[in-house]
Amino acid sequence: MALFARQIQSLRGPAALATQQVRLASTEVSFHTKPCKLHKLDSGPATSVTLNKEDALKYYRDMQVIRRMESAAGNLYKEKKIRGFCHLYSGQEACAVGMKAAMTDGDAVITAYRCHGWTWLLGATVTEVLAELTGRMAGNVHGKGGSMHMYTKNFYGGNGIVGAQQPLGAGVALAMKYREQKNVCITLYGDGAANQGQLFEATNMAKLWDLPVLFVCENNGFGMGTAVERSSASTEYYTRGDYVPGIWVDGMDILAVREATKWAKEYCDSGKGPLMMEMATYRYHGHSMSDPGTSYRTRDEIQEVRKTRDPITGFKDRIITSSLATEEELKAIDKEVRKEVDEALKIATTDGVLPPEALYVDLYHNTEAQAVRGATIDETIVQPYKTSADLLKAIGRA
Amino acid sequence: MSSSRALSLLSRNGSRLSSTRGKAHFTFQPSTTLPAALQSMEKSKMNLMQSVNEAMRIAMETDDSAVLFGEDVAFGGVFRCSLDLQKKFGKDRVFNTPLCEQGIAGFGIGVAAAGATAIAEIQFGDYIFPAYDQLVNEAAKFRYRSGNQFNCGKLTVRTTWGAVGHGALYHSQSPEANFTHTPGLKLVVPRGPIQAKGLLLSCIRDPNPCIFFEPKILYRLASEDVPTGDYTIPLGQAETVRAGKDLTLVAWGTQVHVALEAAQMAKEKLSVDVEVIDLQTIQPWDEDHVVESVQKTGRLIVTHEAPISSGFGAEVASTVQKRCFLNLECPIERVAGYDTPFPHVHEPFYLPTVHRVFDAIKKSVNY
């Protein structure tokens, strides 16, 4: 709680700074962002960033889609149409959208289970995300993975086990380096996962071999219900890489995130090795839908962040004040987004579920259909379909 | 070539899908008999979560060195099993660890080796794998490799276990078979609150490292009158939960209740008398108890949620076939999860439900 009081205080200061802008051209505006804190770096990302109208509208739309989609998911969960585990990203939109804005073709991302927003940003449709949550055929993984396991090209998921994605990210980066790609692997994890041994191992390998991996800690202040001070001997997560340089970024400011990620990407692309980033962000919902999120923090605190630091309203204020966008344009976007999510909801709640044979597709890569033991009492069954794709084709849903 | 029998079984399970979504795949059957020593004790209605809480409270009251640690245990734990324990025993005896299972296990081994009773919680059995090296290579082998100079017998690892209806791949696993292949560890799975309290106290007081698997679906669902005093149920002893003469059905944890339902169904529909045995301790398991039963009935089915290949049922089947070869009237059957990862939406098809167990009973008696 004290940490948040401090964070909020320190942000009120430069709020004045943040609204300073300079009109460079009729559709491009320059803003100031909060400076990044640096670890073992002499210089860091610029604090003066430019934004054009096209990007402004796109970033606004992207963040709104994620916000709406997560809201819809929350409601579906309350209606028991989604079961199991569902971790919402609301409040953290600036991190994903900002980082995506700095990514180039071929960059990869891997994250933990707060992944719905990332999945959509990296190529899935809202329908695919929501239908995966409800376990239907139209889902991103056709209902086989659920909330925590969604994938797209160059997006390695969606991981349920905390920290498991950290060494994986380093491995993807190795492949990129081997193939001489000018790309990075953005490896995301939370403040809770920052204490997993795997991160230490992955960081060491990444620095030893100069791998182009960005270890990004999305620090939303809580690992489930445990505040960062109570789980971590050091809460300066951007310094935890020790011998790996690090940047602390205001994760509620999409422009700061974009700028920092651009800078970090240049750093990695130039062969200097890994970088650790910490996005100071906040989640409005509890850890998951099973957690009301109010037993370890006050409703006042959550309201305070919504009022003063919300990434979407903060961005909205900026682009309206600087005349990059009008209230009407943004309202039109809101309406469009609502429509898109509503249509997705329709499919997500009405589509069918994969037939029982899906239980044993996608087990192995094999040229012969695999015998699956125990399908009946002592009979083995040979897989009628080896992959979800084959099964979908057979039932006419290819 | 697909088996139509398989599909008919699957669709039979599936037609229950829409009507039973949200309901458990079994009904909890409270224990009908108690060991003599417990019958006269005062009792109180408790669910599994409360009985586990009770056991830990008693353990910590009677042993000054006992400490409890794990993720989120301080406020009561994600399933409330450690409710009020920090309040009662203080922050130096009940405390949170960061998110680091390997660290928790290793740390627990150290605490135990130094002479304090360590109760380490791994929040979900699915997360026990980062700790696997510590448990298999360190905890299980400490006494052996030090010629009995050192040991971590005061370590008990508590973790949640089994299907819960919506857990999908990583909140539903039954990992006991990963540990039965490791001599040096004791492994226990209770079927209800009475057993949980007594068995957990035994584990905590047993001078060997124990892993206690708590069926998470039973935390609130399983409620019965539990003796309120300090009592233990011995490790390494199975219990015959339902006597019968025609077939022996062995299970543990949640699956015991599925077995009991199947036994009832067999009585009603086939006039077959099934004896249901709860192993309780998986390692070391009560071979003699099961063998005696099979010598009487001549038929054995073992059933568990974990995937069939190398599930613990394989060990039971192999031992029984050796010791009861000439007693057997039919091949030993195993009814278990399929050899796939624990699925997301297809959980109802995956689980070894009462229908599949009943089918195995039918097949066995008609052999």
Side-chain angles (χ1 to χ4, degrees):
Chain A
M1 187 56 207
L3 176 68
F4 279 94
R6 267 183 281 129
Q7 275 194 355
I8 290 166
Q9 281 285 31
S10 65
L11 279 162
R12 286 235 177 89
L17 243 177
T19 56
Q20 266 178 29
Q21 76 260 11
V22 173
R23 184 166 289 283
L24 297 176
S26 55
T27 53
E28 210 175 66
V29 176
S30 161
F31 295 95
H32 276 290
T33 59
K34 209 173 178 306
C36 296
K37 292 191 254 185
L38 305 174
H39 169 72
K40 299 214 170 140
L41 287 166
D42 295 320
S43 63
T47 52
S48 175
V49 310
T50 56
L51 178 65
N52 65 45
K53 187 188 171 87
E54 199 188 320
D55 286 342
L57 293 177
K58 176 170 173 18
Y59 301 157
Y60 178 80
R61 186 179 197 287
D62 285 353
M63 289 198 283
Q64 275 293 51
V65 170
I66 297 177
R67 182 66 65 90
R68 278 241 154 250
M69 186 175 70
E70 295 292 68
S71 261
N75 291 336
L76 279 176
Y77 194 95
K78 289 185 194 138
E79 292 165 24
K80 301 217 168 154
K81 303 213 169 94
I82 297 175
R83 304 197 61 226
F85 301 88
C86 188
H87 310 83
L88 301 178
Y89 203 65
S90 313
Q92 300 183 209
E93 295 85 359
C95 296
V97 178
M99 300 198 83
K100 175 70 173 70
M103 281 169 63
T104 58
D105 198 36
D107 284 340
V109 175
I110 188 170
T111 184
Y113 43 73
R114 210 170 294 282
C115 60
H116 312 153
W118 277 104
T119 312
W120 174 77
L121 260 180
L122 294 168
T125 61
V126 179
T127 305
E128 276 175 50
V129 174
L130 290 177
E132 185 58 38
L133 293 174
T134 54
R136 314 297 170 113
M137 277 192 274
N140 176 262
V141 192
H142 316 296
K144 292 202 63 177
S147 163
M148 295 190 271
H149 311 104
M150 303 185 183
Y151 304 80
T152 67
K153 181 159 195 267
N154 288 332
F155 175 52
Y156 293 83
N159 289 281
I161 300 294
V162 171
Q165 76 277 18
Q166 293 152 347
L168 238 123
V172 170
L174 179 90
M176 287 172 169
K177 179 169 179 172
Y178 186 80
R179 296 195 196 111
E180 294 179 350
Q181 294 168 235
K182 281 275 175 262
N183 288 120
V184 294
C185 180
I186 299 178
T187 303
L188 298 139
Y189 57 95
D191 42 270
N195 296 318
Q196 272 280 325
Q198 300 183 75
L199 179 58
F200 185 75
E201 291 181 19
T203 311
N204 182 53
M205 287 192 281
K207 185 63 183 163
L208 195 61
W209 301 324
D210 281 330
L211 304 179
V213 50
L214 289 179
F215 290 109
V216 182
C217 178
E218 285 180 304
N219 177 6
N220 56 27
F222 298 94
M224 285 203 341
T226 304
V228 291
E229 302 87 40
R230 295 198 298 126
S231 75
S232 309
S234 159
T235 56
E236 316 284 309
Y237 295 103
Y238 67 105
T239 65
R240 290 279 209 96
D242 185 16
Y243 40 81
V244 170
I247 313 178
W248 176 98
V249 185
D250 176 6
M252 303 304 255
D253 176 357
I254 187 198
L255 295 176
V257 174
R258 184 190 72 174
E259 212 53 39
T261 310
K262 252 195 213 146
W263 189 94
K265 210 177 118 62
E266 267 167 43
Y267 180 96
C268 284
D269 285 347
S270 67
K272 295 205 188 92
L275 209 64
M276 192 160 275
M277 295 173 81
E278 178 185 341
M279 301 281 165
T281 183
Y282 197 81
R283 57 163 160 81
Y284 296 141
H285 295 274
H287 161 75
S288 70
M289 288 305 295
S290 335
D291 170 24
T294 47
S295 56
Y296 46 86
R297 54 185 184 172
T298 61
R299 283 187 213 276
D300 288 341
E301 179 187 298
I302 306 172
Q303 286 304 94
E304 178 82 44
V305 177
R306 269 200 201 266
K307 260 197 298 191
T308 61
R309 292 174 65 202
D310 185 277
I312 301 178
T313 48
F315 189 62
K316 182 176 174 182
D317 288 341
R318 270 176 152 174
I319 58 181
I320 289 182
T321 315
S322 63
S323 300
L324 267 177
T326 63
E327 190 85 55
E328 290 74 42
E329 279 173 324
L330 298 184
K331 274 213 173 73
I333 291 179
D334 287 347
K335 205 163 158 214
E336 204 201 308
V337 167
R338 201 170 307 142
K339 188 159 166 281
E340 186 178 335
V341 174
D342 284 344
E343 277 168 14
L345 269 172
K346 253 191 244 124
I347 300 178
T349 48
T350 55
D351 197 18
V353 179
L354 275 178
E357 289 81 353
L359 177 63
Y360 32 82
V361 294
D362 307 321
L363 272 177
Y364 292 97
H365 175 77
N366 40 270
T367 48
E368 297 293 328
Q370 187 75 18
V372 178
R373 288 189 60 193
T376 58
I377 301 133
D378 64 349
E379 288 165 20
T380 61
I381 186 169
V382 175
Q383 289 171 300
Y385 311 101
K386 289 184 286 170
T387 62
S388 320
D390 290 343
L391 173 51
L392 285 165
K393 209 186 293 179
I395 61 176
R397 279 291 295 262
Chain B
M1 192 179 69
S2 69
S3 159
S4 57
R5 187 188 166 77
L7 290 174
S8 78
L9 254 177
L10 286 169
S11 54
R12 204 182 336 159
N13 272 353
S15 64
R16 276 171 41 122
L17 174 59
S18 48
S19 59
T20 60
R21 191 168 192 210
K23 274 171 62 180
H25 61 285
F26 65 96
T27 310
F28 171 70
Q29 320 254 356
S31 296
T32 49
T33 56
L34 280 179
L38 305 184
Q39 280 166 22
S40 52
M41 267 188 177
E42 214 181 281
K43 298 178 191 60
S44 168
K45 200 155 205 80
M46 276 184 232
N47 59 30
L48 183 72
M49 170 266 283
Q50 290 164 320
S51 73
V52 166
N53 185 272
E54 264 274 286
M56 289 198 283
R57 184 183 57 76
I58 292 171
M60 296 181 77
E61 270 169 6
T62 53
D63 177 352
D64 270 334
S65 78
V67 291
L68 166 66
F69 50 91
E71 292 158 20
D72 302 303
V73 298
F75 86 93
V78 289
F79 294 105
R80 294 279 184 272
C81 291
S82 51
L83 196 62
D84 291 339
L85 292 179
Q86 188 183 63
K87 216 179 286 180
K88 190 157 207 285
F89 297 104
K91 291 191 177 154
D92 55 339
R93 292 183 69 188
V94 178
F95 53 92
N96 286 338
T97 60
L99 216 171
C100 47
E101 285 75 17
Q102 182 172 30
I104 292 169
F107 179 83
I109 293 166
V111 167
T117 298
I119 308 170
E121 179 180 300
I122 303 284
Q123 203 168 82
F124 282 89
D126 314 60
Y127 309 161
I128 206 167
F129 299 105
Y132 193 60
D133 173 70
Q134 282 290 343
L135 293 169
V136 164
N137 276 331
E138 308 303 321
K141 300 173 166 77
F142 210 163
R143 187 189 297 276
Y144 188 88
R145 72 182 186 224
S146 67
N148 211 16
Q149 285 182 68
F150 285 94
N151 72 79
C152 58
K154 286 175 178 290
L155 172 67
T156 301
V157 174
R158 286 177 46 246
T159 186
T160 62
W161 179 95
V164 69
H166 51 260
L169 288 83
Y170 299 111
H171 294 81
S172 315
Q173 291 177 55
S174 308
E176 70 274 14
N178 290 288
F179 295 96
T180 56
H181 198 51
T182 303
L185 294 173
K186 290 199 176 179
L187 310 165
V188 178
V189 190
R191 73 172 184 276
I194 296 174
Q195 294 72 32
K197 181 174 165 184
L199 289 168
L200 180 53
L201 273 167
S202 287
C203 285
I204 293 171
R205 292 168 178 167
D206 188 285
N208 292 291
C210 300
I211 306 180
F212 187 75
F213 296 95
E214 298 167 9
K216 59 179 90 67
I217 198 173
L218 296 179
Y219 274 141
R220 290 178 192 255
L221 203 130
S223 183
E224 58 187 350
D225 292 319
V226 179
T228 53
D230 183 344
Y231 70 92
T232 55
I233 291 177
L235 300 186
Q237 277 185 25
E239 185 186 335
T240 299
V241 186
R242 179 194 166 114
K245 56 173 177 46
D246 298 324
L247 186 148
T248 304
L249 181 51
V250 173
W252 49 91
T254 316
Q255 198 65 6
V256 174
H257 305 288
V258 175
L260 286 168
E261 269 182 58
Q264 185 57 26
M265 214 187 249
K267 181 83 185 169
E268 287 165 9
K269 301 200 175 163
L270 306 170
S271 299
V272 165
D273 220 0
V274 173
E275 178 152 291
V276 177
I277 296 179
D278 175 8
L279 275 191
Q280 300 194 121
T281 303
I282 313 301
Q283 174 154 294
W285 67 285
D286 197 345
E287 275 182 42
D288 290 346
H289 190 112
V290 175
V291 162
E292 253 176 65
S293 173
V294 179
Q295 283 167 344
K296 175 176 69 174
T297 64
R299 299 180 184 88
L300 174 65
I301 298 174
V302 191
T303 177
H304 55 71
E305 280 175 22
I308 188 168
S309 287
S310 301
F312 194 64
E315 192 56 39
V316 175
S318 176
T319 304
V320 169
Q321 83 68 41
K322 179 177 171 149
R323 291 183 61 181
C324 304
F325 188 72
L326 292 175
N327 301 105
L328 290 171
E329 296 287 341
C330 62
I332 297 172
E333 297 287 359
R334 292 178 291 158
V335 182
Y338 299 140
D339 283 339
T340 73
F342 199 100
H344 176 223
V345 289
H346 294 92
E347 178 168 336
F349 299 114
Y350 173 91
L351 288 174
T353 58
V354 62
H355 300 298
R356 285 174 58 197
V357 178
F358 177 77
D359 221 60
I361 296 173
K362 194 167 173 190
K363 184 160 192 223
S364 297
V365 295
N366 291 331
Y367 185 76

